[in-house]
Coordinates of all heavy atoms in Angstrom, one line a residue:
M19 N -83.5 -35.6 65.3 CA -84.7 -36.1 66.1 C -85.5 -37.1 65.2 O -85.8 -36.8 64.0 CB -85.5 -34.9 66.4 CG -86.8 -35.2 67.3 SD -86.4 -35.6 69.0 CE -86.1 -33.9 69.6
F20 N -85.8 -38.2 65.8 CA -86.6 -39.2 65.1 C -88.0 -39.3 65.7 O -88.2 -39.1 66.9 CB -85.9 -40.5 65.1 CG -84.6 -40.6 64.4 CD1 -83.4 -40.3 65.0 CD2 -84.6 -40.8 63.0 CE1 -82.2 -40.3 64.3 CE2 -83.4 -40.8 62.3 CZ -82.2 -40.5 63.0
C21 N -89.0 -39.4 64.9 CA -90.4 -39.5 65.2 C -90.6 -40.7 66.3 O -90.2 -41.7 65.9 CB -91.3 -39.6 64.1 SG -93.0 -39.7 64.4
S22 N -91.3 -40.3 67.3 CA -91.6 -41.3 68.3 C -92.8 -42.3 67.8 O -92.9 -43.3 68.5 CB -91.9 -40.7 69.6 OG -93.1 -39.9 69.5
K23 N -93.4 -41.9 66.8 CA -94.6 -42.8 66.3 C -94.1 -43.7 65.2 O -94.4 -44.9 65.2 CB -95.7 -42.0 65.8 CG -96.5 -41.3 67.0 CD -97.6 -40.4 66.5 CE -98.9 -41.1 66.2 NZ -100.0 -40.1 65.8
C24 N -93.4 -43.1 64.2 CA -93.0 -44.0 63.0 C -91.5 -44.2 62.9 O -91.1 -45.1 62.1 CB -93.5 -43.3 61.8 SG -92.7 -41.9 61.3
G25 N -90.7 -43.5 63.7 CA -89.3 -43.7 63.7 C -88.5 -43.0 62.5 O -87.3 -43.1 62.5
K26 N -89.2 -42.3 61.7 CA -88.5 -41.6 60.6 C -87.9 -40.3 61.1 O -88.3 -39.8 62.1 CB -89.5 -41.4 59.4 CG -89.9 -42.6 58.7 CD -90.8 -42.2 57.5 CE -91.2 -43.4 56.8 NZ -92.4 -43.3 55.9
E27 N -86.9 -39.8 60.3 CA -86.3 -38.6 60.7 C -87.2 -37.4 60.5 O -87.9 -37.3 59.5 CB -85.0 -38.3 59.9 CG -84.2 -37.2 60.4 CD -82.7 -37.2 60.0 OE1 -82.3 -38.0 59.2 OE2 -82.0 -36.4 60.5
M28 N -87.2 -36.5 61.5 CA -88.2 -35.4 61.5 C -87.5 -34.2 60.9 O -86.3 -34.0 60.9 CB -88.6 -35.1 62.9 CG -89.3 -36.2 63.5 SD -89.8 -35.9 65.3 CE -91.4 -35.2 65.0
K29 N -88.3 -33.3 60.3 CA -87.8 -32.0 59.8 C -87.5 -31.0 60.9 O -88.2 -31.0 61.9 CB -88.8 -31.4 58.9 CG -88.9 -31.9 57.5 CD -90.0 -31.0 56.7 CE -90.2 -31.6 55.3 NZ -91.3 -31.0 54.6
K30 N -86.4 -30.4 60.8 CA -86.0 -29.4 61.9 C -86.3 -28.0 61.5 O -86.2 -27.7 60.3 CB -84.4 -29.5 62.1 CG -83.9 -28.8 63.3 CD -82.4 -29.0 63.5 CE -82.0 -28.2 64.7 NZ -80.5 -28.3 64.8
G31 N -86.8 -27.2 62.5 CA -87.2 -25.8 62.2 C -87.5 -25.2 63.5 O -87.0 -25.5 64.5
T32 N -88.4 -24.2 63.4 CA -88.8 -23.4 64.6 C -90.4 -23.4 64.5 O -90.9 -23.4 63.5 CB -88.2 -22.0 64.7 OG1 -88.6 -21.3 63.5 CG2 -86.7 -22.0 64.9
L33 N -91.0 -23.2 65.7 CA -92.4 -23.0 65.7 C -92.7 -21.6 65.9 O -92.4 -21.0 66.9 CB -93.0 -23.8 66.9 CG -94.5 -23.7 67.1 CD1 -95.3 -24.3 65.9 CD2 -95.0 -24.3 68.4
N34 N -93.3 -21.0 64.8 CA -93.6 -19.6 64.8 C -95.0 -19.3 65.1 O -95.9 -20.2 64.7 CB -93.1 -19.0 63.5 CG -91.7 -18.9 63.3 OD1 -91.1 -17.9 63.0 ND2 -91.0 -20.1 63.3
G35 N -95.3 -18.3 65.7 CA -96.7 -17.9 65.9 C -96.9 -16.6 66.6 O -95.9 -15.9 66.8
R36 N -98.1 -16.2 67.0 CA -98.3 -14.9 67.6 C -98.3 -15.0 69.1 O -98.6 -14.0 69.8 CB -99.6 -14.4 67.1 CG -99.6 -14.0 65.7 CD -100.9 -13.5 65.2 NE -100.9 -12.9 63.8 CZ -100.4 -11.7 63.5 NH1 -100.3 -10.8 64.4 NH2 -100.4 -11.3 62.3
G37 N -97.9 -16.2 69.6 CA -97.7 -16.2 71.1 C -99.0 -16.6 71.9 O -100.0 -16.8 71.3
D38 N -98.8 -16.7 73.2 CA -99.9 -17.0 74.1 C -100.5 -18.3 73.9 O -101.7 -18.6 74.3 CB -101.1 -15.9 74.0 CG -100.7 -14.6 74.7 OD1 -99.7 -14.6 75.5 OD2 -101.4 -13.6 74.5
N39 N -99.7 -19.2 73.4 CA -100.2 -20.6 73.4 C -99.9 -21.2 74.7 O -99.0 -20.8 75.5 CB -99.4 -21.4 72.3 CG -99.8 -21.0 70.9 OD1 -101.0 -20.8 70.6 ND2 -98.8 -20.8 70.1
F40 N -100.8 -22.2 75.2 CA -100.5 -22.9 76.4 C -100.8 -24.3 76.3 O -101.7 -24.8 75.5 CB -101.2 -22.2 77.5 CG -102.8 -22.1 77.3 CD1 -103.6 -23.1 77.8 CD2 -103.3 -21.0 76.7 CE1 -105.0 -23.0 77.6 CE2 -104.7 -20.9 76.4 CZ -105.5 -22.0 77.0
F41 N -100.2 -25.1 77.2 CA -100.5 -26.5 77.3 C -101.5 -26.7 78.4 O -101.4 -26.2 79.5 CB -99.2 -27.3 77.6 CG -99.5 -28.8 78.0 CD1 -99.7 -29.7 77.0 CD2 -99.5 -29.2 79.3 CE1 -99.9 -31.0 77.3 CE2 -99.8 -30.5 79.6 CZ -100.0 -31.4 78.6
L42 N -102.6 -27.4 78.1 CA -103.7 -27.6 79.1 C -103.7 -29.1 79.4 O -103.9 -29.9 78.5 CB -105.0 -27.2 78.5 CG -106.1 -27.1 79.5 CD1 -105.9 -26.1 80.6 CD2 -107.4 -26.8 78.7
P43 N -103.4 -29.6 80.6 CA -103.5 -30.9 81.0 C -104.9 -31.6 80.8 O -105.8 -30.9 81.0 CB -103.1 -31.0 82.5 CG -102.5 -29.6 82.8 CD -103.1 -28.7 81.8
E44 N -104.8 -32.9 80.5 CA -106.0 -33.6 80.3 C -106.9 -33.5 81.5 O -106.4 -33.5 82.7 CB -105.7 -35.1 80.1 CG -106.8 -35.9 79.6 CD -106.4 -37.3 79.2 OE1 -105.7 -37.9 80.0 OE2 -106.7 -37.8 78.1
G45 N -108.2 -33.3 81.4 CA -109.2 -33.1 82.5 C -109.5 -31.8 82.8 O -110.5 -31.5 83.6
E46 N -108.7 -30.7 82.4 CA -109.0 -29.4 82.7 C -109.8 -28.8 81.5 O -109.6 -29.2 80.3 CB -107.7 -28.6 82.7 CG -106.8 -28.9 83.8 CD -107.3 -28.4 85.2 OE1 -108.3 -27.7 85.2 OE2 -106.6 -28.7 86.2
T47 N -110.8 -27.9 81.9 CA -111.6 -27.4 80.8 C -110.9 -26.1 80.3 O -110.2 -25.4 81.0 CB -113.0 -27.0 81.3 OG1 -112.9 -26.1 82.5 CG2 -113.8 -28.2 81.7
S48 N -111.1 -25.8 79.0 CA -110.5 -24.7 78.3 C -111.0 -23.4 78.9 O -112.2 -23.2 79.0 CB -110.7 -24.7 76.8 OG -110.0 -23.7 76.2
P49 N -110.1 -22.5 79.4 CA -110.5 -21.2 80.0 C -111.2 -20.3 78.9 O -110.8 -20.2 77.8 CB -109.3 -20.6 80.5 CG -108.1 -21.3 79.8 CD -108.6 -22.6 79.4
K50 N -112.2 -19.5 79.3 CA -112.9 -18.6 78.5 C -112.1 -17.3 78.5 O -112.1 -16.6 77.4 CB -114.3 -18.3 79.0 CG -115.2 -19.5 78.7 CD -116.7 -19.2 79.1 CE -117.5 -20.4 78.8 NZ -117.1 -21.7 79.3
L51 N -111.4 -17.0 79.5 CA -110.6 -15.8 79.6 C -109.2 -16.3 79.8 O -109.0 -17.2 80.6 CB -111.1 -14.8 80.7 CG -112.4 -14.2 80.5 CD1 -112.9 -13.5 81.7 CD2 -112.3 -13.2 79.3
L52 N -108.2 -15.5 79.4 CA -106.8 -15.8 79.7 C -106.2 -14.8 80.6 O -106.1 -13.6 80.3 CB -106.0 -15.8 78.3 CG -106.3 -17.0 77.4 CD1 -105.3 -16.9 76.2 CD2 -106.2 -18.3 78.1
S53 N -105.7 -15.3 81.7 CA -104.9 -14.5 82.6 C -103.9 -15.5 83.1 O -104.2 -16.7 83.3 CB -105.7 -13.7 83.6 OG -106.1 -14.6 84.7
N54 N -102.8 -14.9 83.7 CA -101.8 -15.8 84.4 C -102.5 -16.5 85.5 O -102.2 -17.8 85.8 CB -100.6 -15.0 84.8 CG -99.7 -14.7 83.7 OD1 -99.8 -15.2 82.6 ND2 -98.8 -13.7 83.9
K55 N -103.4 -15.9 86.3 CA -104.0 -16.5 87.4 C -104.9 -17.6 87.0 O -104.9 -18.7 87.6 CB -104.9 -15.4 88.1 CG -105.3 -15.7 89.6 CD -106.0 -14.5 90.2 CE -106.6 -14.9 91.5 NZ -107.4 -13.8 92.0
I56 N -105.7 -17.4 86.0 CA -106.6 -18.5 85.5 C -105.8 -19.7 85.0 O -106.1 -20.8 85.3 CB -107.6 -18.0 84.4 CG1 -108.5 -17.0 85.0 CG2 -108.3 -19.1 83.7 CD1 -109.3 -16.1 84.0
L57 N -104.8 -19.4 84.2 CA -104.0 -20.5 83.7 C -103.3 -21.3 84.8 O -103.2 -22.5 84.7 CB -102.9 -19.9 82.7 CG -103.5 -19.3 81.4 CD1 -102.3 -18.7 80.6 CD2 -104.1 -20.4 80.6
K58 N -102.8 -20.6 85.8 CA -102.2 -21.3 86.9 C -103.2 -22.2 87.7 O -102.9 -23.3 88.0 CB -101.6 -20.2 87.9 CG -100.7 -20.9 88.9 CD -100.0 -19.8 89.8 CE -99.0 -20.4 90.7 NZ -98.4 -19.4 91.6
K59 N -104.4 -21.7 87.8 CA -105.5 -22.4 88.5 C -105.8 -23.7 87.7 O -106.1 -24.7 88.3 CB -106.7 -21.5 88.6 CG -107.8 -22.1 89.6 CD -108.9 -21.1 89.7 CE -110.0 -21.7 90.4 NZ -111.3 -20.9 90.2
K60 N -105.7 -23.7 86.4 CA -106.0 -24.8 85.6 C -104.8 -25.7 85.3 O -104.8 -26.5 84.4 CB -106.7 -24.3 84.2 CG -108.0 -23.8 84.4 CD -108.7 -23.5 83.2 CE -110.2 -23.1 83.4 NZ -111.0 -24.2 83.7
N61 N -103.7 -25.4 85.9 CA -102.5 -26.1 85.8 C -101.9 -26.1 84.4 O -101.3 -27.0 83.9 CB -102.7 -27.6 86.2 CG -103.1 -27.7 87.6 OD1 -102.4 -27.1 88.5 ND2 -104.2 -28.4 87.9
A62 N -102.3 -25.0 83.7 CA -101.8 -24.8 82.3 C -100.4 -24.3 82.3 O -99.9 -23.7 83.3 CB -102.7 -23.8 81.6
I63 N -99.7 -24.6 81.2 CA -98.3 -24.1 81.0 C -98.3 -23.1 79.9 O -98.4 -23.5 78.7 CB -97.3 -25.3 80.9 CG1 -97.4 -26.2 82.1 CG2 -95.9 -24.8 80.6 CD1 -96.8 -27.6 81.9
L64 N -98.0 -21.8 80.2 CA -98.0 -20.8 79.1 C -96.6 -21.0 78.4 O -95.5 -21.0 79.0 CB -98.1 -19.5 79.8 CG -98.2 -18.3 78.9 CD1 -99.5 -18.4 78.0 CD2 -98.3 -17.0 79.6
L65 N -96.7 -21.1 77.1 CA -95.5 -21.3 76.2 C -95.1 -20.0 75.6 O -95.9 -19.2 75.1 CB -95.8 -22.3 75.2 CG -96.3 -23.7 75.7 CD1 -96.9 -24.6 74.6 CD2 -95.2 -24.4 76.5
P66 N -93.8 -19.8 75.7 CA -93.2 -18.6 75.0 C -93.3 -18.7 73.5 O -93.4 -19.8 73.0 CB -91.8 -18.5 75.5 CG -91.5 -19.9 75.9 CD -92.7 -20.6 76.3
P67 N -93.3 -17.6 72.7 CA -93.2 -16.2 73.2 C -94.6 -15.7 73.7 O -95.6 -16.3 73.3 CB -92.8 -15.4 72.0 CG -93.4 -16.1 70.9 CD -93.3 -17.6 71.3
S68 N -94.7 -14.7 74.5 CA -96.0 -14.1 74.9 C -96.3 -13.0 73.7 O -95.4 -12.5 73.2 CB -95.9 -13.4 76.2 OG -95.2 -12.2 76.2
S69 N -97.7 -12.8 73.6 CA -98.1 -11.9 72.5 C -97.5 -10.5 72.6 O -97.3 -9.8 71.7 CB -99.5 -11.9 72.3 OG -100.1 -11.5 73.6
F70 N -97.3 -10.1 73.9 CA -96.7 -8.8 74.2 C -95.4 -8.6 73.5 O -95.1 -7.5 73.0 CB -96.6 -8.6 75.7 CG -96.1 -7.2 76.1 CD1 -96.9 -6.1 76.0 CD2 -94.8 -7.1 76.6 CE1 -96.5 -4.9 76.3 CE2 -94.3 -5.8 76.9 CZ -95.2 -4.7 76.8
G71 N -94.5 -9.5 73.5 CA -93.2 -9.4 73.0 C -93.1 -9.6 71.5 O -92.0 -9.5 70.9
I72 N -94.1 -10.0 70.8 CA -94.0 -10.6 69.4 C -93.3 -9.6 68.5 O -92.5 -10.0 67.7 CB -95.4 -10.9 68.9 CG1 -95.7 -12.3 69.4 CG2 -95.4 -10.9 67.4 CD1 -94.8 -13.5 68.8
P73 N -93.6 -8.2 68.5 CA -93.0 -7.4 67.5 C -91.4 -7.4 67.6 O -90.7 -7.1 66.7 CB -93.5 -6.0 67.8 CG -94.8 -6.3 68.5 CD -94.6 -7.5 69.3
F74 N -91.0 -7.7 68.8 CA -89.5 -7.7 69.1 C -88.9 -9.0 69.2 O -87.8 -9.2 69.4 CB -89.3 -6.9 70.4 CG -90.0 -5.6 70.5 CD1 -91.2 -5.6 71.3 CD2 -89.7 -4.5 69.8 CE1 -91.9 -4.4 71.4 CE2 -90.4 -3.4 69.8 CZ -91.6 -3.3 70.6
C75 N -89.8 -10.0 69.0 CA -89.4 -11.4 69.2 C -88.5 -11.9 68.1 O -88.9 -11.8 66.9 CB -90.6 -12.3 69.4 SG -90.1 -14.0 69.8
E76 N -87.4 -12.4 68.4 CA -86.5 -13.0 67.4 C -86.3 -14.5 67.7 O -85.8 -15.2 66.8 CB -85.1 -12.3 67.4 CG -85.3 -10.9 66.8 CD -83.9 -10.1 67.0 OE1 -83.0 -10.7 67.4 OE2 -83.9 -8.9 66.6
K77 N -86.7 -14.8 68.8 CA -86.5 -16.3 69.2 C -87.8 -17.0 69.2 O -88.7 -16.7 70.0 CB -85.8 -16.3 70.6 CG -84.3 -16.2 70.5 CD -83.7 -16.6 71.8 CE -82.4 -17.3 71.6 NZ -81.9 -17.9 72.8
F78 N -87.9 -18.0 68.4 CA -89.0 -19.0 68.5 C -88.4 -20.4 68.8 O -87.2 -20.6 68.6 CB -89.7 -19.1 67.2 CG -90.5 -17.9 66.8 CD1 -90.0 -16.9 66.0 CD2 -91.7 -17.6 67.5 CE1 -90.8 -15.8 65.7 CE2 -92.5 -16.5 67.2 CZ -92.0 -15.6 66.3
P79 N -89.2 -21.2 69.5 CA -88.6 -22.5 69.9 C -88.2 -23.4 68.8 O -88.9 -23.4 67.7 CB -89.7 -23.1 70.8 CG -91.0 -22.4 70.3 CD -90.6 -21.0 69.9
H80 N -87.2 -24.2 68.9 CA -86.8 -25.2 68.0 C -87.9 -26.3 67.9 O -88.4 -26.6 69.0 CB -85.4 -25.8 68.3 CG -84.3 -24.8 68.1 ND1 -83.9 -24.5 66.9 CD2 -83.5 -24.1 69.0 CE1 -82.9 -23.6 67.1 NE2 -82.7 -23.4 68.3
A81 N -88.1 -26.7 66.8 CA -89.2 -27.8 66.6 C -88.8 -28.8 65.6 O -88.0 -28.5 64.8 CB -90.5 -27.1 66.3
F82 N -89.5 -29.9 65.7 CA -89.3 -31.0 64.8 C -90.6 -31.5 64.3 O -91.6 -31.7 65.1 CB -88.5 -32.1 65.5 CG -87.1 -31.7 65.9 CD1 -87.0 -31.1 67.1 CD2 -86.1 -31.9 65.1 CE1 -85.7 -30.7 67.6 CE2 -84.8 -31.5 65.5 CZ -84.6 -30.8 66.8
W83 N -90.7 -31.7 63.0 CA -92.0 -32.0 62.4 C -91.9 -33.4 61.6 O -90.9 -33.6 60.9 CB -92.4 -30.9 61.4 CG -93.6 -31.2 60.6 CD1 -93.6 -31.5 59.2 CD2 -95.0 -31.3 61.0 NE1 -94.9 -31.7 58.9 CE2 -95.7 -31.5 59.9 CE3 -95.6 -31.0 62.2 CZ2 -97.2 -31.7 59.9 CZ3 -97.0 -31.2 62.3 CH2 -97.8 -31.5 61.2
C84 N -92.9 -34.2 61.8 CA -93.0 -35.5 61.0 C -94.0 -35.4 60.0 O -95.2 -35.2 60.3 CB -93.3 -36.7 62.0 SG -93.4 -38.3 61.0
D85 N -93.6 -35.4 58.7 CA -94.5 -35.3 57.6 C -95.6 -36.4 57.5 O -96.7 -36.2 57.3 CB -93.8 -35.3 56.3 CG -93.4 -33.9 55.8 OD1 -94.1 -32.9 56.2 OD2 -92.4 -33.8 55.0
E86 N -95.1 -37.6 57.9 CA -95.9 -38.8 57.9 C -97.1 -38.8 58.9 O -98.2 -39.0 58.6 CB -95.0 -40.0 58.1 CG -95.6 -41.3 57.8 CD -95.4 -41.7 56.4 OE1 -94.7 -41.0 55.6 OE2 -96.0 -42.7 56.0
C87 N -96.7 -38.5 60.1 CA -97.6 -38.5 61.2 C -98.2 -37.2 61.7 O -99.2 -37.2 62.5 CB -96.8 -39.1 62.5 SG -96.0 -40.7 62.2
K88 N -97.7 -36.1 61.1 CA -98.2 -34.8 61.5 C -98.0 -34.5 62.9 O -98.8 -34.0 63.6 CB -99.7 -34.6 61.1 CG -100.1 -35.0 59.7 CD -99.4 -34.3 58.6 CE -99.9 -34.7 57.3 NZ -98.8 -34.8 56.3
L89 N -96.8 -35.0 63.4 CA -96.4 -34.9 64.9 C -95.4 -33.8 65.0 O -94.5 -33.7 64.2 CB -95.8 -36.3 65.3 CG -95.4 -36.2 66.8 CD1 -96.6 -36.2 67.7 CD2 -94.5 -37.4 67.1
L90 N -95.6 -33.0 65.9 CA -94.8 -31.8 66.1 C -94.2 -32.0 67.6 O -94.9 -32.1 68.5 CB -95.5 -30.5 66.1 CG -94.8 -29.2 66.3 CD1 -93.8 -28.9 65.1 CD2 -95.7 -28.0 66.5
I91 N -92.8 -31.8 67.6 CA -92.1 -31.8 68.9 C -91.4 -30.5 69.0 O -90.7 -30.1 68.1 CB -91.1 -33.0 69.0 CG1 -91.8 -34.4 69.0 CG2 -90.3 -32.8 70.2 CD1 -90.9 -35.5 68.9
V92 N -91.7 -29.8 70.1 CA -91.2 -28.5 70.3 C -90.3 -28.5 71.5 O -90.7 -28.9 72.6 CB -92.4 -27.4 70.5 CG1 -91.8 -26.0 70.5 CG2 -93.4 -27.6 69.4
D93 N -89.1 -27.8 71.4 CA -88.2 -27.7 72.5 C -88.2 -26.2 73.1 O -87.6 -25.4 72.4 CB -86.8 -28.1 72.0 CG -85.7 -28.2 73.0 OD1 -86.1 -27.8 74.2 OD2 -84.6 -28.5 72.8
Y94 N -88.8 -26.2 74.2 CA -88.8 -24.8 74.8 C -87.7 -24.5 75.8 O -87.6 -23.5 76.5 CB -90.2 -24.6 75.6 CG -91.3 -24.4 74.6 CD1 -92.2 -25.5 74.2 CD2 -91.6 -23.2 74.1 CE1 -93.3 -25.2 73.4 CE2 -92.7 -22.9 73.3 CZ -93.5 -23.9 72.9 OH -94.5 -23.7 72.0
S95 N -86.8 -25.4 75.9 CA -85.8 -25.4 77.0 C -85.0 -24.1 76.9 O -84.5 -23.7 78.0 CB -84.9 -26.6 76.9 OG -84.2 -26.7 75.7
E96 N -84.8 -23.6 75.7 CA -83.9 -22.3 75.7 C -84.7 -21.0 76.0 O -84.2 -20.0 76.1 CB -83.3 -22.2 74.3 CG -82.3 -23.2 73.9 CD -81.7 -23.1 72.5 OE1 -81.8 -22.0 71.9 OE2 -81.4 -24.1 72.0
L97 N -86.0 -21.1 76.0 CA -86.9 -20.0 76.2 C -87.5 -19.9 77.6 O -88.2 -18.9 77.8 CB -87.9 -19.9 75.1 CG -87.4 -19.9 73.6 CD1 -88.6 -19.9 72.7 CD2 -86.5 -18.7 73.4
M98 N -87.5 -20.9 78.4 CA -88.2 -20.8 79.6 C -87.2 -21.0 80.8 O -86.1 -21.4 80.6 CB -89.1 -22.0 79.7 CG -90.2 -21.9 78.7 SD -91.4 -23.3 78.7 CE -92.5 -22.9 80.0
Ligands
ZN8 ZN1 -93.8 -40.1 62.3

């Protein structure tokens, strides 16, 4: 994978975390509480893994990192 900003080769790895991250489209305000209903109303996209499954989670999404630009590209296609 090559960086879309600078064109250099990106580092390959996985994006690890405690879950419950979500993508919020531009124009939506950040929700104060998190529930599937609220996230849906705000057109947010909940990204795996969910915090509920973390102790058993072995799969994190593949990701690519550009050292130069601090740009992260995450591939969730295998988890959603
Ligand atoms: Zn770059």
Side-chain angles (χ1 to χ4, degrees):
M19 181 77 74
F20 294 94
C21 178
S22 61
K23 285 175 91 175
C24 71
K26 288 182 181 166
E27 189 159 8
M28 301 176 87
K29 282 182 181 172
K30 189 177 179 182
T32 55
L33 179 64
N34 291 237
R36 291 179 174 270
D38 286 346
N39 291 314
F40 58 90
F41 172 79
L42 190 66
E44 194 173 46
E46 296 284 357
T47 54
S48 188
K50 289 181 175 57
L51 292 170
L52 289 186
S53 76
N54 284 344
K55 196 175 170 185
I56 292 169
L57 291 176
K58 194 174 180 183
K59 193 176 168 190
K60 291 186 171 286
N61 300 306
I63 298 166
L64 189 60
L65 302 168
S68 73
S69 56
F70 181 73
I72 280 294
F74 315 103
C75 183
E76 291 173 4
K77 274 196 144 188
F78 289 102
H80 290 286
F82 299 87
W83 172 253
C84 178
D85 271 334
E86 192 87 6
C87 305
K88 315 300 182 214
L89 178 74
L90 181 71
I91 295 176
V92 187
D93 183 359
Y94 284 97
S95 61
E96 289 177 27
L97 301 178
M98 295 178 83

